Structures are given as C-alpha cells and as structure tokens.
C-alpha cells in the first residue's frame, strides 16, 4: 500500500457510525471469539468498512495478562474485565451465541441456536482448550480443588482465596506444562508473585514448581530475581530432575511426579493445552491440536476462506501471547481486506513483547520481531531477546510501568 | 469499499484538537502502536504519534546502533532496515498529523 492510496478523513462522530447502505453492500466477515485476537480483528475489519459480526456468547471478557497480580494480592479482579459495548458502536454487530459448526462449501457459520451466518471470510479466534484428558486425576472437577487459573475469571479468584486461606508454613505446588502453551513466561511470573505474597505474609511457606521442561522463557532473569527477592522460597524442579507430573490426587492434595510425591496445601495445575474446542470440531486443528495458518495472511492451511488468529494458531516462531494476538488480528484484517479487493498483502513485520512482573514493582521483558519466510513467521535475525541482565533497578521499575501501560493501551484499543 | 478510522475515537480523546486521521496503517506500523498508540490518559510509554518522521527515524537508528539505550527498544530496533524504519516513521507521522497541540 502506498501513501497516495490512503485517504485522510476529517474525524467526527458521524464518521464513526457506519452508514447502513454502505454496509449492506460490504463483504461479510464473521469473527468467532471475543478475546484479544477476535475482538481486535472484528474492530479492525469493521474499521475497513466490512460487514462484521462478532460471535461471542459471553457478555464480558476477562483478560489473563496481569491476572497474576490478582493472584499475588495487589490487583483487583475488576481491572481484568471488559465488555463489548464499545465494540458495538464501532460498526461490529454482536451475536451472543456460540459457534456450532461451519459449512465451508456454502460459507456459512452455524450457531448453537441454528442461525446460519453467511460469510465471504471467517475469522476464528477460539483461544485455548485446557486438556482435561492429559494428566491423570486432573479433570474439570479437579480444577475446582486444584485451580488452573489459566483462563482468567473465577479460577483466578479461587487460587487467590486458597493462598489467603493457607496457613504460614504451608506448601504451594505449581504444575507447569511442556511447550507450546498460552503465555510461555506466565507460570514463572505467577511463581514470582505467589512468592512475593508468601514472603511478605507467610514467610515460612514454600513454593515448588514441577515443570515438564528443562528450560523456560527468561529463565536466567527469573532465577536471578528469585535468588535476590525470594531466597530459599522457590524450588524449581525441572524435567530432568523428576519435574514431570504424572498424576494429581485432588482429595489428598497430592502431586505425583516421575520421581516422587509431594503433598501440598495449594496446588495450581496448568494442564497441557490445544486450540479451542470448536477449532478441533470443525477441522481447523492438525495432529498437534493447533491450527496451522499461512504466515502471509493467517488463512488456515486446512480450510479455505477461514483465518485463525491468536493462541489457537500456529505459524512459526511467534509465542502465544495477547500481544501476538493483537498484532496478528490487525495483520489478518489487512490481509482479508487486500484479498477481497484482489490485492497482494504487502510484506510486514510484527512485534511481540511480553512483560513479566517479578514483584509488584519490577518487571522483565522478552521481545521479538517477526517476518514471513517460506510461509512461516520467523525471528528477524539479530533482533529481539530478553531484558539486559544488568538492567538497573530503575530499568526494572520502568518495565513494570510498561507492563501496566501496555495492558491499558491494548485493552483500550480493543474494548475501549 | 468504505475505509474508516480505527483510531478515530482515540484521537477524539487525546485532547481538544482538530484531528485528521489516516484511513489505515500497515501492520508494521500498527505493531508500534500496541505500546506507543493513543491512550485516554498519560502513560509510561513515550508517545510516538506526536513525533515527526525524522525524530522517529533518528530515535530508531540510535536504538539500533546502541548509541541510545533503552529497556526494550534496542532489541526491537535491530529488526528493521533503514527503509523499513523510514516507511513506518512516515506512516506514523501522517496519522499523527493534527495530534500536536
């Protein structure tokens, strides 16, 4: 796209309302899922003048980023919650239903109430499904005793309440899955903030991290922060030292690893994951459980005219994060518009940046710049990486401010 | 197809200024606004839309070379060529027109 092709318009409230006549002739796009990816895709597509329906059964979205601060006890749950009211004023039609099926030949999305929504393009943003069939003993009922808190909401509060109810000197156990999963550094941010709570309120307590891998995102930075801030409190048990959990017994508060058993007062079990259940049902997921897409336009490699963005999609090196979901949604909207007009998608680069709080006042970050190569999104060589290990205290404090500022901006750009 | 304004509401909230907004940004430029985009109140990230293109370019080049230190921008700036930096800076400067007091 060249500068000369762009139009500059006087902004006013009249410009925000999409004329009905114009929309009637616009290509129809159905977006499924109102998380960071789906809501932003819907908004971005509507801003392009397309006829957009957002299929989302819930009236509110509860955001995961910063929800570890709720678990740590220094952020209110209300700050995580967003409605779709503003989206409805930006040209997006809200459909409070769930998707039941797709007819990819007729190009119709079939909703649970039987409604059929015709589309020129479908955008799927189903997020993740927590696998309750992957870890013996851990099913949906078990999650009411051993919360996962990996989809924010009541589970977040349950984990917080359990930590509050635990006596000083108690034992907390986290079960952490193998890659890939939503938010690679998330478990370690959570460990940091649980440790902060324990150190300040219940200093005789202990936190075990049972991990199905031998290395993790921002590992050196996290471990150095744990030594400095929470010495002796966190014990990370990697795969090679028996960290892989093979069973949980909720009634006994027991975590069973390859090498032994640990009784805990509070267990936080983050189970293995795959693309949201509807993606599996309609044939968008491959054997990995995730949805493969073309890196140039986020169109499914399995079904035509259907795009997948956010955590459910796999297209290369981009991690599953809200930041990734946000920029993928915008790139996908751009590609859909270009495709409908018969234009080529121009080359682009996307950024991911993930901040992790290591205490209420300090954060560390990982970032990457990505471009399409051979239909995969790959790291741009020489770019990205984690915060400098010698970053000053001021720098870590600044990164904590950035963590919150990023959340405020992205949620406002999406839902505000 | 009608083109509309993703940041229209944003600019309205930036202050009592007369705003001309650009129809659409490229995904590359939008990626910058995830952190440096508009917010209805002051934030921690330096605003980008009030800069002219030359200021953005010199900042990015300085971050890339290490002449300017930051928390995260040195790592991000290394992902862009001179041409890409210029194109993004010009796009952002265009959409930012009118956001200056």
């Amino acid at each position: 796209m060249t500068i000369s092709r762009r139009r500059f318009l006087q902004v006013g409230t009249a410009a925000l309302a999409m004329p009905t006549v114009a929309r009637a002739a616009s290509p129809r796009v159905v977006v499924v899922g109102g998380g960071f990816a789906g809501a932003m895709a819907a908004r971005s597509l509507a801003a392009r003048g397309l006829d957009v329906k957002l299929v989302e059964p819930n009236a509110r979205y509860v955001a995961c980023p910063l929800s570890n601060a709720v678990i740590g006890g220094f952020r209110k749950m209300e700050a995580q919650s967003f409605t779709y009211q503003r989206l409805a004023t930006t040209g997006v039609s809200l459909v409070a239903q769930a998707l039941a099926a797709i007819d990819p030949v007729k190009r119709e999305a079939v909703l649970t109430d039987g409604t059929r929504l015709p589309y020129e393009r479908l955008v799927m943003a189903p997020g993740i499904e927590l696998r309750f069939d992957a870890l013996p003993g851990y099913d949906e009922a078990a999650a009411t005793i051993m919360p996962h808190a990996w989809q924010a909401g009541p589970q977040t509060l349950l984990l917080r309440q359990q930590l509050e109810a635990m006596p000083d000197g108690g034992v907390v156990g986290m079960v952490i899955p193998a890659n890939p999963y939503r938010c690679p550094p998330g478990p370690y941010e959570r460990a940091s903030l649980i440790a902060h709570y324990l150190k300040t309120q219940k200093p005789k307590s202990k936190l075990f991290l049972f991990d199905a891998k031998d290395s993790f995102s921002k590992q050196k930075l996290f471990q150095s922060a744990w030594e400095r801030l929470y010495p002796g409190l966190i014990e990370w048990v990697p795969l090679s030292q028996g960290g892989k959990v093979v069973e949980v017994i909720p009634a006994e508060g027991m975590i069973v690893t390859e090498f032994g058993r640990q009784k805990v007062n509070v267990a936080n079990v983050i189970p293995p994951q795959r693309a949201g259940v509807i993606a599996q049902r309609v044939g968008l997921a491959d054997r990995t459980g995730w949805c493969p897409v073309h890196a140039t336009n986020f169109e499914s490699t399995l079904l035509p005219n259907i795009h997948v963005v956010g955590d459910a999609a796999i297209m290369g090196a981009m991690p599953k994060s809200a930041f990734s979901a946000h920029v993928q949604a915008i790139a996908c909207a751009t590609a859909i518009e270009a495709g409908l007009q018969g234009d080529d998608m121009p080359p682009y680069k996307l950024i991911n940046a993930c901040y992790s709080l290591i205490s209420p006042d300090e954060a560390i970050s990982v970032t990457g710049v990505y471009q399409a190569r051979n239909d995969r999104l790959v790291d741009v060589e020489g770019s990205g990486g984690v915060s400098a290990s010698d970053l000053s205290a001021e720098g870590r404090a600044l990164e904590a401010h950035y963590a919150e500022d990023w959340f405020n901006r992205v949620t406002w750009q999406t839902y505000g | 197809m009608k083109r509309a304004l993703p940041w229209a509401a944003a600019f309205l909230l930036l202050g009592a200024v007369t705003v001309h907004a650009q129809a659409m940004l490229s995904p590359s430029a939008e990626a910058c606004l995830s952190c440096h985009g508009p917010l209805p109140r002051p934030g921690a990230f330096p605003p980008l839309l009030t800069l002219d293109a030359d200021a953005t370019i010199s900042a990015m080049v300085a971050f890339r070379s290490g002449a300017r230190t930051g928390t995260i921008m040195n790592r991000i700036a290394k992902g862009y060529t001179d041409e890409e930096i210029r194109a993004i800076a010009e796009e952002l400067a265009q959409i930012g027109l009118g956001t200056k007091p």
Side-chain angles (χ1 to χ4, degrees):
Chain A
M1 204 189 296
T2 60
I3 292 286
S4 62
R5 281 191 50 203
R6 299 203 184 92
R7 302 206 334 219
F8 292 77
L9 302 172
Q10 181 79 39
V11 175
T13 46
L16 293 172
M18 213 62 70
T20 313
V21 177
R23 288 180 61 191
S26 299
R28 296 158 300 183
V29 184
V30 174
V31 180
V32 177
F36 283 97
M40 192 63 207
R43 190 163 184 165
S44 202
L45 287 159
R48 288 166 164 79
L50 299 172
D51 177 357
V52 181
K53 290 191 169 59
L54 176 61
V55 176
E56 168 57 59
N58 299 305
R60 301 183 78 81
Y61 178 67
V62 186
C64 279
L66 291 183
S67 68
N68 284 330
V70 177
I71 293 166
F74 56 96
R75 186 174 174 84
K76 294 255 186 287
M77 195 68 206
E78 292 72 39
Q80 301 300 115
S81 183
F82 301 89
T83 74
Y84 299 103
Q85 295 307 311
R86 275 287 299 145
L87 263 182
T89 68
T90 61
V92 176
S93 299
L94 303 179
V95 182
Q97 289 286 323
L99 185 73
I102 296 169
D103 186 333
V105 178
K106 286 189 189 162
R107 294 197 198 177
E108 287 180 340
V110 185
L111 309 184
T112 42
D113 69 351
T115 306
R116 303 176 81 90
L117 299 177
Y119 62 79
E120 272 70 49
R121 294 288 186 279
L122 179 66
V123 178
M124 294 286 290
I128 56 164
E129 178 196 4
L130 297 168
R131 291 190 56 192
F132 289 113
D133 61 348
L135 173 60
Y138 199 68
D139 55 16
E140 281 187 272
T144 64
I145 301 165
M146 295 180 159
H148 52 77
W150 217 240
Q151 288 166 324
Q155 280 274 309
T156 312
L157 291 174
L158 179 60
L159 180 54
R160 173 65 197 161
Q161 287 155 6
Q162 290 186 352
L163 290 167
E164 284 175 351
M166 187 183 83
D168 190 9
V171 176
V172 182
M174 285 182 65
V175 179
I176 304 172
N179 292 320
Y181 59 92
R182 162 180 284 180
C183 190
Y188 311 96
E189 177 188 65
R190 177 174 292 178
S192 305
L193 300 184
I194 290 176
H196 164 78
Y197 170 69
L198 296 177
K199 183 190 172 189
T200 50
Q201 304 292 323
K202 293 163 185 175
K204 294 178 200 154
S205 307
K206 178 91 184 165
L207 172 58
F208 287 100
L209 312 182
F210 298 106
D211 204 330
K213 34 188 197 309
D214 277 322
S215 62
F216 59 86
S217 175
K218 306 181 229 186
Q219 180 171 347
K220 284 184 180 163
L221 293 174
F222 273 117
Q223 289 179 321
S224 139
W226 294 344
E227 272 176 42
R228 178 170 57 83
L229 297 167
Y230 318 114
L233 205 156
I234 299 175
E235 185 170 338
W236 178 58
V237 187
L239 174 68
S240 58
Q241 290 170 35
K244 185 179 161 108
V245 172
V246 295
E247 184 185 3
V248 293
I249 309 170
E252 298 173 23
M254 192 67 75
I255 293 172
V256 185
T257 69
E258 282 181 332
F259 288 15
R261 301 160 77 85
Q262 178 66 52
K263 191 165 169 51
V264 298
N265 299 78
V266 175
N268 170 214
V269 179
I270 304 167
Q273 297 148 36
R274 61 188 170 201
V277 61
I278 188 66
Q280 318 284 335
R281 200 186 304 156
V282 300
L284 284 166
D286 66 13
R287 280 183 301 175
T288 66
W290 304 98
C291 304
V293 297
H294 296 291
T296 46
N297 62 359
F298 296 90
E299 186 175 12
S300 168
T301 63
L302 302 177
L303 293 173
N305 306 312
I306 302 176
H307 300 249
V308 188
V309 284
D311 287 348
I314 44 167
M315 78 307 287
M318 270 193 115
K320 300 185 183 304
S321 71
F323 198 121
S324 292
H326 179 80
V327 296
Q328 287 173 11
I330 295 167
C332 179
T334 309
I336 285 175
E337 183 192 32
L340 288 168
Q341 291 177 334
D343 295 341
D344 289 334
M345 174 73 169
Y348 64 88
K349 285 182 174 173
L350 297 185
I351 300 169
N352 175 65
C354 291
Y355 291 97
S356 300
L357 294 169
I358 50 177
S359 78
D361 312 312
E362 298 177 60
I364 55 180
S365 64
V366 61
T367 187
V369 183
Y370 305 90
Q371 63 188 344
R373 284 284 179 275
N374 303 318
D375 213 19
R376 309 264 294 167
L377 281 180
V378 301
D379 286 287
V380 176
E381 202 175 330
S383 70
V386 300
S387 308
S389 56
D390 59 353
L391 187 65
S392 65
E394 291 76 19
R396 292 192 299 266
L398 199 52
E399 294 218 284
H401 287 298
Y402 289 158
E404 181 162 17
D405 196 13
W406 168 80
F407 180 84
N408 291 340
R409 280 171 204 261
V410 162
T411 53
W412 189 71
Q413 289 171 20
T414 308
Y415 300 103
Chain B
M1 197 180 304
K2 180 178 167 60
R3 286 172 178 264
L5 307 162
W7 300 116
F11 291 116
L12 290 175
L13 288 162
L14 276 175
V17 289
T18 304
V19 175
H20 287 74
Q22 172 203 350
M24 283 299 145
L25 285 170
S26 69
S28 301
E30 287 272 13
C32 306
L33 298 184
S34 302
C35 294
H36 297 283
L39 188 71
R41 56 187 176 279
F45 290 114
L48 195 46
L49 289 173
T50 53
L51 298 182
D52 62 34
D54 286 343
T56 303
I57 291 167
S58 50
M60 282 292 280
V61 169
F63 278 128
R64 192 177 59 188
S65 70
R68 180 173 170 184
T69 55
T71 55
I72 199 168
M73 280 311 301
N74 302 91
R75 294 173 265 158
I76 292 173
K78 289 186 174 72
Y80 296 87
T81 65
D82 286 344
E83 294 71 28
E84 289 164 345
I85 289 171
R86 173 164 295 283
I88 291 170
E90 286 176 352
E91 271 193 81
L92 293 173
Q94 289 283 10
I95 198 176
L97 287 177
T99 61
K100 293 173 205 174

